[in-house]
Each structure stands twice: as C-alpha cells, then as structure tokens.
Amino acid sequence: ITRDHARLREVRRHAVVQHGALHPLGGGEETAGYKGYGLGMLVELLSAVLPGCADVGPAVQPWTLSRERPNGYGHCFVVLDPKRFTPGFGGRLREYLAAMRCLPGAVRCPGDPEKACEEEARARGVVLHEGTATALKALAGRYGVETPPEFAALDASRSKPSLYAQA
C-alpha cells in the first residue's frame, strides 16, 4: 500500500525505494501474500507435527462440544534469551514498540489489548459473560459455595452441562 494507505495496482520502484511500502500478509501472491498461510503452517508444524499429534491439518476435528473423541493437543515452547544475541535488547524493543504505536491509525502491539483489559479489571473488577457467570453460579450451588450478590438474578438452571465435571 502507499504511504497514503491506498493499494497499489502496480509497483512503482522509485516510490518504494524513496518512501517504502507495506503489504499485509494475506495479500496477493505477487507481493508474497501467501506468507500468512506459511506462518500458520509453521505454527502447526511446531505445535502439532513436532510433538507427534495424531490429527494435524485437515484431520483436526471441529472445535465443537460434540466432538467424537478428545483432541490430542500438542505444544511447543520456544525460549529465547535476548542477552545471548546482542546487548541492549530491552531498549531497542521499547523504541520499536513506541515507533509502532505512533504509526497512523489504531496500531496496537501484541499485549496492548490485554494490558488495557487488566487495567480496567483492576479499576472496575473482572467482567464475566452471562453464560460464564451462570455456569459459575450452578457450580457454586452444586458444591455449596456462596456466590456474590451480583449473581442473584442469574438462573443457574440455564447453565449448560460441563464437558468435564461429572455429576
């Protein structure tokens, strides 16, 4: 896209060299838009194929309550110590994130929405969706645990049965 946020139909090399250019992942093949698909495959390779999950790719069953069998989850944890690469990582990271947040538009960095949610929860309390609160009220009733007054209007009988807790 151009610096004015318009999508280019043709590559103007002098403009790219002078002003730079950006095309989001998932764009056309001529701009390497297929990389988003490749990054998704890399995640699955590391978190499913590498740890030996039985179902990968299209063989993974749908994410529904009525699964035929348990999902065989896999995990991959990659731990990097920035100090082993080059000094000053923390400062460069702060500069990079500050520069990204100053870009035109509503640019948020990974973790920004969660940080805002955490700050709001500290100020106003944790927000629960009605279904979650109803399920918690039903579970509390089952085990004789007192619920907060805010749960009084919830109908615990409307709670969906748990996938895990057996009666």
Side-chain angles (χ1 to χ4, degrees):
I1 59 175
T2 68
R3 63 183 175 169
D4 301 321
H5 309 287
R7 184 169 182 193
L8 287 174
R9 294 286 176 213
E10 61 182 59
V11 175
R12 298 184 193 113
R13 291 185 183 167
H14 76 281
V16 170
V17 171
Q18 286 183 324
H19 306 292
L22 173 68
H23 199 284
L25 293 177
E29 186 174 346
E30 69 280 359
T31 58
Y34 54 84
K35 284 191 226 173
Y37 188 82
L39 288 172
M41 288 181 67
L42 176 62
V43 168
E44 188 164 26
L45 286 170
L46 292 173
S47 61
V49 177
L50 180 66
C53 293
D55 296 330
V56 296
V60 174
Q61 58 186 326
W63 189 258
T64 62
L65 293 176
S66 59
R67 292 183 214 128
E68 295 175 14
R69 62 193 180 286
N71 279 337
Y73 295 113
H75 301 283
C76 177
F77 299 94
V78 178
V79 180
L80 300 174
D81 183 357
K83 293 176 192 164
R84 298 195 179 253
F85 290 88
T86 184
F89 172 76
R92 288 193 314 278
L93 177 61
R94 279 188 294 280
E95 289 174 13
Y96 172 76
L97 294 175
M100 296 305 290
R101 290 178 179 121
C102 288
L103 292 173
V107 176
R108 296 193 295 176
C109 297
D112 285 352
E114 293 82 2
K115 185 177 180 181
C117 185
E118 182 180 335
E119 290 170 359
E120 183 178 351
R122 286 184 197 277
R124 301 178 57 204
V126 177
V127 176
L128 292 177
H129 291 279
E130 184 178 353
T132 302
T134 302
L136 286 173
K137 182 175 181 178
L139 193 60
R142 181 174 165 188
Y143 290 103
V145 175
E146 189 176 332
T147 58
E150 293 82 1
F151 282 37
L154 297 173
D155 181 2
S157 68
R158 291 184 42 227
S159 175
K160 294 180 181 176
S162 172
L163 290 174
Y164 308 106
Q166 300 299 320

